[in-house]
Amino acid sequence: MATIEPDEAASYDFTPLIDDFLRARSVVEFGSDGRYFQAAQSLCRFYTHLLDDVTFWEVAGRVADAPPPALEIVDQLIEFEVHEVQLLIRCGLPEHVAIELVNDLSRSLRQYRGELDVDVLEIRAGVETLAGHLCGVGPEVDDSERQLRRRLVVGRAQRIAGAALAAGCDIVTPPPFNVLSVAGSLIPIYYDLRDVIQRLDG
């Protein structure tokens, strides 16, 4: 790793790196419903930028000497861990693997932030591992998610159809009870079916 001069580190602008993370976090937290490929690619771009940023790793060598912007990035990554686990799972990684990978990185970050003797290369290795998984996510992950949602919706539609059939059977009951019974059963079925249609259209 190249050596960074003190004056170069002091004048280094961390804004592009922080902006990259904020954009990625926004996509993952607020814009990833059913679009996990986009979220994974956004986080992949940030991690790639972070891995390539030689100055960051140089100035973050010791927490006591690290400038506030570098520490801000560390703090943001620690706070982001829950969303990151959820995204990795959505992208097909087994839950226990996703939790282990993120916990390993988070543990190193917390130890670093607590001014324990942590080599930043260990943190960098954790970032590199996560980046490898996220950058390897393909667009087919969204297709799999849509197919799962469609199966769930179809299953619900089948249950609604069964309820409608049961309501129809009430017609054979002598009036006036059958009219009230059928009406009471069909109203919630109507709203359920409308919800199913909206989900399928989405």
Side-chain angles (χ1 to χ4, degrees):
M1 194 173 289
T3 302
I4 304 298
E5 297 299 326
D7 58 338
E8 183 181 353
S11 62
Y12 187 74
D13 183 11
F14 287 87
T15 303
L17 194 58
I18 294 173
D19 287 347
D20 257 9
F21 174 75
L22 294 177
R23 277 192 294 269
R25 188 182 69 179
S26 178
V27 172
V28 173
E29 291 183 1
F30 305 111
S32 64
D33 184 24
R35 295 185 296 277
Y36 302 111
F37 173 65
Q38 177 188 355
Q41 288 299 295
S42 182
L43 200 52
C44 165
R45 282 191 293 272
F46 162 70
Y47 275 146
T48 301
H49 186 176
L50 182 62
L51 289 168
D52 291 342
D53 195 320
V54 177
T55 303
F56 174 85
W57 299 106
E58 283 288 328
V59 301
R62 290 182 64 251
V63 67
D65 301 327
L71 297 179
E72 179 184 347
I73 293 172
V74 172
D75 291 340
Q76 293 275 6
L77 287 174
I78 292 172
E79 294 174 6
F80 190 61
E81 60 186 30
V82 173
H83 298 284
E84 198 160 38
V85 168
Q86 293 173 344
L87 177 60
L88 288 168
I89 293 171
R90 290 290 191 177
C91 290
L93 210 60
E95 182 177 354
H96 70 281
V97 176
I99 291 174
E100 183 179 355
L101 287 177
V102 175
N103 279 351
D104 285 348
L105 175 59
S106 180
R107 188 181 306 111
S108 297
L109 291 170
R110 292 176 190 277
Q111 290 174 344
Y112 169 83
R113 204 63 178 91
E115 299 190 28
L116 299 178
D117 187 18
V118 178
D119 190 339
V120 291
L121 292 180
E122 180 182 333
I123 297 176
R124 193 179 189 281
V127 170
E128 192 168 14
T129 300
L130 286 177
H133 286 286
L134 291 164
C135 296
V137 172
E140 66 276 1
V141 69
D142 290 345
D143 293 334
S144 299
E145 179 69 16
R146 279 191 290 268
Q147 289 171 8
L148 175 60
R149 291 172 64 183
R150 187 170 291 270
R151 285 198 299 272
L152 293 174
V153 170
V154 169
R156 185 178 176 188
Q158 290 172 339
R159 291 192 296 273
I160 293 171
L165 179 61
C169 291
D170 282 344
I171 295 175
V172 300
T173 305
F177 304 106
N178 63 333
V179 176
L180 295 176
S181 177
V182 172
S185 299
L186 289 178
I187 289 173
I189 290 172
Y190 163 76
Y191 286 109
D192 280 345
L193 280 173
R194 186 178 66 174
D195 182 56
V196 167
I197 292 170
Q198 289 173 345
R199 288 176 180 272
L200 284 173
D201 287 342

